[in-house]
Structure formats: structure tokens, C-alpha cells
Amino acid sequence: MPKVYKPGKVAIVLQGRQAGKKVVVIKQNDEGTKDRPYPHAIVAGIERYPRKVTRSMGAKKLTRRSRVKPFIKVVNYSHLFPTRYALELESLKGSVSADTFKEPSQREDSKKNIKKLFEERYQSGKNKWFFQALRF
């Protein structure tokens, strides 16, 4: 079976609290681990997407509406739906690892890092599809 979930691949979460949200795969584990004996991936996604902006809005309103709320999660492959899209975020790989989920403070630090990276990517105008909700 070919490897579908490579780092940088964009997928959609199908089950759980984040169902219907887009995520990017940071690290994949095809065999599973001792504590998670199933194939899974560490993903970072967008919990709250940026809102619509228009030309008539001021700078302050524009920055507030351009905010992104990220989440990080370990997701079973059977709860992910791969897309044809990919994000080339090299700096994401170092920000989240398996140890990140053990300590809440590490988790918050990695979320802040991911938030900064996602907002920079959104401001640059690249990968517009990733920053729009599936249904609105």
C-alpha cells in the first residue's frame, strides 16, 4: 500500500471534535507505537478559520479578522481523508513531536509557534484553499 500521509500533506478530519477541519500532517507513523498500536499521524490544523476581509476595513479590524486558532492532535489514519493539496512548512516539523503531548506547557508553546506560521502563510496569500472553511 502506498504511503498517503507524508509530512506536508493536507487532510480533512472525519471524526471527533475537529471533524470537518483541515489539517496538515507533521509526522506519520505507519506501524503504530507501544501506547498507540494503530497507524496514526501527528497533525496541526485550524480550529477557527480567518474571517472575511474587505477593502473598506481598517488596519486594526483587518488584523483581528486575519487571526487563526490552531490545534495539534494525534489522529488515527482511519479518521483522516487525504486531499491532493500539500503545504511546504519545513519549520512545522521541528515544532511538534511525540513528546509535545506529555506536558501542557510544551503543547501551548508549539500551538503558539504553529499559530505564527499559519498566520504568516495566510498573510502571504499562499495556499488560500487551506484557510477557508469547508462549509460556511
Side-chain angles (χ1 to χ4, degrees), residues 10-124:
V10 175
I12 299 169
V13 179
L14 299 175
Q15 295 288 322
R17 185 167 135 195
Q18 311 296 349
K21 305 289 186 188
K22 293 179 198 137
V23 295
V24 60
V25 175
I26 296 173
K27 188 177 180 189
Q28 87 277 14
N29 196 324
D30 296 325
E31 281 78 47
T33 58
K34 194 172 184 180
D35 55 331
R36 295 180 197 270
Y38 50 85
H40 59 275
I42 297 174
V43 297
I46 299 178
E47 192 171 328
R48 191 167 51 234
Y49 293 95
R51 299 177 72 190
K52 185 180 176 183
V53 293
T54 60
R55 204 176 292 160
S56 62
M57 291 179 185
K60 186 178 177 183
K61 192 166 193 174
L62 222 149
T63 55
R64 288 187 65 93
R65 285 180 157 253
S66 298
R67 288 188 183 154
V68 173
K69 184 179 181 186
F71 68 91
I72 53 173
K73 198 173 175 107
V74 178
V75 183
N76 191 331
Y77 277 178
S78 62
H79 299 160
L80 286 175
F81 183 78
T83 65
R84 64 182 179 170
Y85 298 99
L87 284 173
E88 62 282 344
L89 291 174
E90 290 296 321
S91 49
L92 267 180
K93 293 177 188 172
S95 63
V96 181
S97 65
D99 301 331
T100 307
F101 297 97
K102 292 185 172 94
E103 186 80 27
S105 61
Q106 285 182 326
R107 196 179 176 110
E108 291 302 315
D109 291 341
S110 61
K111 270 195 212 175
K112 285 177 186 172
N113 189 18
I114 289 168
K115 178 183 172 103
K116 189 178 71 170
L117 294 168
F118 278 166
E119 285 180 352
E120 284 173 9
R121 178 56 60 107
Y122 176 69
Q123 295 292 338
S124 69

Side-chain angles (χ1 to χ4, degrees), residues 22 132-136:
K22 293 179 198 137
Q132 294 174 349
L134 283 176
R135 300 264 179 201
F136 29 78

